[in-house]
Amino acid sequence: SYWKAYYQISKGLEVDTSQPDTAYFDFVQWEQTYIQSQEGQQDRQWWINQLQNMPQGINLPYDEVKSYEDVMGSGCEKFYIREQQLQQLKQLAAKQRVNFSTLLLAIFKVFIHKISQQNNLAVTTPVQGRPSEAFEDSMGCYINIIVTNTEVAPEETFENYLVQVRDNFIDG
């Protein structure tokens, strides 16, 4: 594996290159077989059904091109979550039985709703990419992205919306 070779090189040892690491090629073969399988076709149809009402885009207030003078002072904003706020967020996640990243996703989607005034929001999130342990030690681009398409209902509580985001994420 890559890591074994790295370790050997770092220790000044000779690396055996007679047996190349083909795990990524094995993954590509696995993926092609999966896509053509009945399970792959069912999963594809499930995603088509899930995404059929997805918005075409999000109308962010900064999407139009502006002159240099109009953008002076704009840019990236940083903020920090203080320890007490972090603990409160973690407690909310535990109380609502969601993981912390799902809570942050729901907060982000509410933020996007507030600045875009759109209720139907789809956000992509990277998730674990290696489908089995056979591919754990190999090098390669193993990225899977899940789309959470949810409807923000301003009259609903945040807790109810959080459950919707959690359920949508788990279903994916």
Side-chain angles (χ1 to χ4, degrees), residues 74-99:
S74 65
C76 181
E77 294 292 329
K78 290 183 184 181
F79 71 93
Y80 299 92
I81 299 174
R82 291 186 171 82
E83 184 63 32
Q84 181 181 358
Q85 294 167 320
L86 178 62
Q87 291 309 316
Q88 290 172 332
L89 289 170
K90 287 181 177 182
Q91 288 171 359
L92 176 61
K95 179 181 173 190
Q96 295 300 316
R97 303 178 57 90
V98 301
N99 65 36

Side-chain angles (χ1 to χ4, degrees), residues 76-132:
C76 181
E77 294 292 329
K78 290 183 184 181
F79 71 93
Y80 299 92
I81 299 174
R82 291 186 171 82
E83 184 63 32
Q84 181 181 358
Q85 294 167 320
L86 178 62
Q87 291 309 316
Q88 290 172 332
L89 289 170
K90 287 181 177 182
Q91 288 171 359
L92 176 61
K95 179 181 173 190
Q96 295 300 316
R97 303 178 57 90
V98 301
N99 65 36
F100 192 64
S101 61
T102 303
L103 174 64
L104 293 178
L105 176 62
I107 292 169
F108 177 72
K109 291 178 94 169
V110 168
F111 171 71
I112 295 297
H113 160 73
K114 290 191 178 288
I115 65 172
S116 70
Q117 296 300 301
Q118 288 179 245
N119 293 341
N120 187 4
L121 297 171
V123 174
T124 58
T125 306
V127 294
Q128 181 179 357
R130 287 172 165 73
S132 77

